[in-house]
Structure formats: C-alpha cells, structure tokens
Amino acid sequence: MEEIKVYMVKGTALFNESSFPTKQKFTKFVRALNEKQAMEYVYTYFGSKNKIKRHNIKIEEIKEVSPEEIADRSIKDIAELDKII
C-alpha cells in the first residue's frame, strides 16, 4: 500500500474566459499518491469550482513538500492524523 504525500502545485489559470479573461497564478496544496494524481486533482478542482477548461490551466511545477512547508491549514491538519475513525 502506498503512502499519501502532500504536493504543492503551482501554475496559472485563465479565469472568466467568456466575459473578461484574467490570467492568475495559483498555488494549491494537494494530498495524493503521486504527481500525476495531484495534477489530475487540480484540473478537476478548478473545473468544478470555477468552470475552467483543462486547456486554460497551465501547471508549471509539482513538488512534494514536507509537513512543515504546508501553508494550507486544513491539509496540514489532515496530514498530521494517524488514523481516521
């Protein structure tokens, strides 16, 4: 069984494509088994929350981070858990 790791995904996305297109940078902390799964989560997250198409999301960097480097409080709390009941 693989261990779940925390990845930091950086990139840019095109928001408001139809009315007033705005390209914005993002940094998202993701719990995943590997880099491919982390990238897929970012695509689905921005697609469902902001209706952004995959071709409008450019991922520039994916790297594994240690628990001390995590900026997102909810991800950090989940990463520190030993087990979920």
Side-chain angles (χ1 to χ4, degrees), residues 14-59:
L14 185 66
F15 290 84
N16 299 327
E17 182 184 15
S18 59
S19 59
F20 186 70
T22 308
K23 198 172 252 194
Q24 294 182 356
K25 291 184 177 184
F26 66 86
T27 301
K28 183 92 176 125
F29 290 91
V30 176
R31 289 174 41 91
L33 294 174
N34 54 35
E35 289 183 4
K36 185 177 179 185
Q37 190 180 34
M39 182 174 61
E40 188 67 29
Y41 178 81
V42 169
Y43 284 139
T44 58
Y45 177 81
F46 281 119
S48 67
K49 300 290 182 192
N50 300 303
K51 305 298 184 233
I52 299 175
K53 305 291 183 206
R54 288 175 178 246
H55 66 273
N56 290 329
I57 302 170
K58 305 294 183 223
I59 295 176

Side-chain angles (χ1 to χ4, degrees), residues 29 31 67 69-80:
F29 290 91
R31 289 174 41 91
E69 296 177 281
I70 302 171
D72 188 355
R73 182 69 184 185
S74 61
I75 298 291
K76 188 173 189 173
D77 289 343
I78 292 173
E80 292 174 353

